[in-house]
Amino acid sequence: MCGIVGVVGTTMVNQVIFDALTLLQHRGQDAAGMVTSHNGKLFLRKDNGAVSEVFRTRHMKKLCGTIGIGHARYPTAGTSSSAEAQPFYVNSPYGISLAHNGNLTNTKKLAQEVFEADLRHINTTSDSEVLLNVLAHELHAEGKLVPKPSDIFNSLERVYARIQGGYAVVSLITGYGILAFRDPDGIRPLIYGSRETADGTEYMVASESVALDAAGFKVERDINPGEAIFVDVNRNIHFKQCTPAKVARPCLFEYVYFARPDTVIDNISVYKARINMGEKLAEKIEEEWLNHDIDVVIPIPDTSRTAALQIAQRLNIPFREGLVKNRYIGRTFIMPGQTVRRKSVRQKLNPVPFEFKDKVVLLVDDSIVRGTTSKEIIEMAREAGAKKVYIASAAPEVRYPNVYGIDMPAAAELIAHGRTAEEICRLIGADKLIFQNLDDLINACIDEKHSNVREFDTSVFDGKYITGNIDAEYLENLEKARNDVQKSGSEPQQSSDMMQPF
Ligand SMILES: O=P(O)(O)OC[C@H]1O[C@H](OP(=O)(O)OP(=O)(O)O)[C@H](O)[C@@H]1O
Ligand SMILES: NC(=O)CC[C@H](N)C(=O)O
Ligand SMILES: [Mg+2]
């Protein structure tokens, strides 16, 4: 679930892109990159690492220009190699750089077309590099030396006709502007805003509203499913609905885990949705668990805090911060590889024994995916002297792989795949386990007053893939290619780009 940003400003944009990427860091911590443009030249810096590690002062000084795009990566295709850090670049036509959040589901076919029919070379296994080449091919096919917005949108309509999956994309067309677009179902989020300066209006497109808020950009609106926005170098703004308008079906897991709580996606506050998740789960506990003996509610930091607080309030039970999070360790779920994830849970979370000793504790997590976190924490709770350890998950059982930009490719790695709640409970070592119902989760996210979203991409919970092109064979191949064992294999280290990053 990468973070993307694009800015067309009146002054240098490197710092504002850096700041936005820092605010989007929770969406991807494997690699980061930025391209800026000045006087027809491009400047690229990208590498593995967190945003603050990738961009040092010496790099920032070279990233000049009033227009640029950035990316924070969490790999869902290809490898974690620095060669697959984004933005990607192709020189023809115009010089195009691209940053992508999401995952294409017809990459194999596209890669073949790009090579055999479009006569283009792809140097990595990244779906985003394929996407860039499809865009470049279609822009080239339009055949305009000086493309107008209508030419760009025409080519983009053909791109939409070719690509499938979940995607939010931002691309810099050198000398012309920034083009950003969102998949036809609105699975991945994309929003834009503006900021007034003495020299005119500046624009930012980003994955989450939090990036706009913090930089003083006023949120204008979400980009609609299948819609594109083009901000030219003179800061004129253009829109085009590139596919027939559909209802938005944003990814439900954004509200559960991915997005920051202070973000608003498709006019739904992530914070409010998480409060509602807590409320619904507390109702379920009250209904199914008469005369429970819970002494204390303890969140598994960070993401579950909002829901846990509401559960405690509704059940009228003390809420305690019994687990302390090391603020210097990133999110464990988006780390590549199970060994590092397991080790990081212990490094990241440490119990306050006093809050567990001789108590019946209800641990709350936002989701249980591989079960890595809950298993370790339950063990810790017992070591700290808990009398009984219950666990509640604000999301239902995650039973199916994700194909739209979350790295859950292998059903076998999901603890709930093919298992009942009782079996999962036993495996993670809890005394009792309770999951949110899917309908309750959906209702927790619907905000009839502010948003017209009524449906979501719920594929990880119910196995229904809304893009319609996912079958058993696709999932089988994905599992073979991207399971944890496979991913820990060797990775190419050369840069993929013809434009060498510094
Ligand atoms: O069952 P698992 O495979 O362990 O995955 C689920 C856990 O991973 C995430 O936490 P993470 O540490 O990534 O981030 P957070 O600090 O935002 O909660 C999520 O919040 C759950 O705690
Ligand atoms: N998490 C994402 O959005 C990943 C983008 C792209 N598929 C990559 O692997 O780089
Ligand atoms: Mg967590």
Side-chain angles (χ1 to χ4, degrees):
M1 197 66 55
C2 308
I4 59 171
V5 59
V7 182
V8 187
T10 54
T11 54
M12 297 259 280
V13 291
N14 53 0
Q15 190 62 45
V16 76
I17 292 176
F18 176 93
D19 293 342
L21 288 179
T22 307
L23 286 155
L24 298 174
Q25 184 76 84
H26 60 283
R27 300 183 67 84
Q29 55 200 24
D30 253 48
M34 187 192 312
V35 169
T36 58
S37 173
H38 182 61
N39 283 344
K41 282 255 170 296
L42 291 177
F43 304 92
L44 167 67
R45 165 66 187 160
K46 60 178 185 174
D47 205 350
N48 285 128
V51 175
S52 60
E53 294 162 340
V54 170
F55 303 105
R56 313 309 299 230
T57 308
R58 62 183 184 279
H59 306 119
M60 292 294 280
K61 277 185 181 157
K62 290 188 200 163
L63 288 161
C64 21
T66 56
I67 184 166
I69 61 173
H71 190 257
R73 183 172 190 230
Y74 155 58
T76 62
T79 70
S80 315
S81 152
S82 60
E84 298 189 14
Q86 301 191 30
F88 278 105
Y89 165 77
V90 283
N91 75 339
S92 174
Y94 320 118
I96 309 170
S97 320
L98 177 142
H100 164 219
N101 166 214
N103 201 61
L104 298 188
T105 51
N106 61 339
T107 312
K108 200 170 157 206
K109 177 171 168 276
L110 285 173
Q112 201 172 343
E113 284 173 14
V114 161
F115 182 66
E116 289 172 4
D118 303 349
L119 306 185
R120 287 177 168 271
H121 171 70
I122 303 288
N123 209 39
T124 69
T125 43
S126 164
D127 58 330
S128 312
E129 192 191 3
V130 174
L131 170 48
L132 168 58
N133 277 275
V134 172
L135 175 65
H137 174 83
E138 297 303 343
L139 279 167
H140 192 263
E142 201 67 18
K144 300 286 163 55
L145 179 61
V146 180
K148 293 197 292 290
S150 56
D151 301 319
I152 291 171
F153 289 140
N154 283 344
S155 358
L156 193 56
E157 283 182 13
R158 296 193 297 276
V159 174
Y160 270 104
R162 291 179 66 181
I163 65 177
Q164 293 174 337
Y167 49 91
V169 174
V170 60
S171 79
L172 170 56
I173 306 177
T174 313
Y176 296 105
I178 281 183
L179 172 70
F181 51 100
R182 189 174 179 193
D183 65 73
D185 296 289
I187 300 174
R188 298 273 66 92
L190 192 64
I191 192 163
Y192 91 99
S194 64
R195 181 167 80 172
E196 296 305 326
T197 73
D199 298 317
T201 312
E202 302 182 310
Y203 293 98
M204 179 189 282
V205 276
S207 298
E208 290 188 30
S209 61
V210 65
L212 302 169
D213 299 341
F217 281 76
K218 175 173 149 269
V219 169
E220 295 289 351
R221 67 171 175 85
D222 295 274
I223 303 302
N224 292 320
E227 188 189 30
I229 171 176
F230 178 63
V231 186
D232 66 33
V233 282
N234 298 316
R235 287 176 281 105
N236 300 305
I237 188 160
H238 314 263
F239 296 94
K240 178 83 193 278
Q241 184 65 40
C242 290
T243 62
K246 275 199 201 173
V247 294
R249 285 189 281 183
C251 169
L252 197 52
F253 213 65
E254 289 276 355
Y255 298 96
V256 169
Y257 167 70
F258 265 102
R260 261 176 59 140
D262 45 346
T263 274
V264 177
I265 301 175
D266 290 318
N267 297 315
I268 298 170
S269 153
V270 174
Y271 180 82
K272 240 199 260 169
R274 288 183 189 162
I275 290 276
N276 294 342
M277 289 174 210
E279 184 72 18
K280 303 250 176 224
L281 194 50
E283 278 169 26
K284 189 173 174 186
I285 293 171
E286 277 177 337
E287 273 168 33
E288 292 188 2
W289 210 343
L290 293 173
N291 307 321
H292 65 74
D293 54 351
I294 305 165
D295 292 320
V296 61
V297 173
I298 296 180
I300 301 180
D302 242 342
T303 302
S304 69
R305 275 204 174 109
T306 321
L309 191 56
Q310 192 62 23
I311 293 178
Q313 197 165 323
R314 168 77 194 242
L315 297 179
N316 204 13
I317 295 171
F319 171 89
R320 291 279 191 259
E321 297 270 13
L323 292 160
V324 177
K325 186 188 155 212
N326 178 344
R327 69 180 71 190
Y328 304 102
I329 305 268
R331 298 182 107 182
T332 40
F333 177 74
I334 59 174
M335 288 175 180
Q338 187 60 6
T339 318
V340 61
R341 281 193 290 261
R342 196 173 309 119
K343 183 163 170 256
S344 297
V345 173
R346 289 265 172 177
Q347 282 183 333
K348 177 174 163 172
L349 297 169
N350 199 41
V352 178
F354 160 82
E355 291 296 0
F356 291 89
K357 184 106 188 83
D358 299 327
K359 289 185 188 163
V360 175
V361 298
L362 175 68
L363 294 169
V364 178
D365 211 344
D366 52 87
S367 55
I368 297 174
V369 182
R370 295 178 180 89
T372 323
T373 309
S374 35
K375 197 161 185 281
E376 292 289 331
I377 299 297
I378 289 165
E379 217 173 280
M380 272 186 209
R382 295 208 191 280
E383 285 162 16
K387 203 154 59 177
K388 283 190 207 161
V389 187
Y390 302 143
I391 183 157
S393 164
E397 294 90 324
V398 173
R399 291 213 158 98
Y400 302 92
N402 187 283
V403 298
Y404 302 129
I406 306 176
D407 196 29
M408 299 178 196
E413 288 165 12
L414 305 172
I415 194 162
H417 183 76
R419 291 199 180 96
T420 62
E422 291 70 42
E423 287 167 329
I424 303 164
C425 182
R426 229 173 299 127
L427 266 179
I428 60 177
D431 293 302
K432 195 169 174 73
L433 165 65
I434 189 155
F435 283 104
Q436 184 94 264
N437 295 332
L438 182 53
D439 282 348
D440 285 343
L441 174 60
I442 292 171
N443 287 327
C445 294
I446 289 175
D447 180 347
E448 288 187 355
K449 195 162 162 215
H450 301 101
S451 169
N452 55 13
V453 171
R454 299 289 179 272
E455 292 171 47
F456 297 86
D457 155 40
T458 51
S459 51
V460 296
F461 304 115
D462 59 12
K464 293 183 184 148
Y465 296 94
I466 55 178
T467 55
N469 58 332
I470 306 302
D471 55 19
E473 190 189 344
Y474 179 91
L475 294 175
E476 206 177 297
N477 288 336
L478 179 69
E479 176 151 359
K480 268 190 220 143
R482 286 198 60 77
N483 63 57
D484 274 332
V485 178
Q486 199 60 34
K487 273 184 287 183
S488 59
S490 65
E491 297 177 345
Q493 283 308 315
Q494 88 282 12
S495 170
S496 68
D497 280 349
M498 287 142 78
M499 178 174 59
Q500 290 295 321
F502 45 82

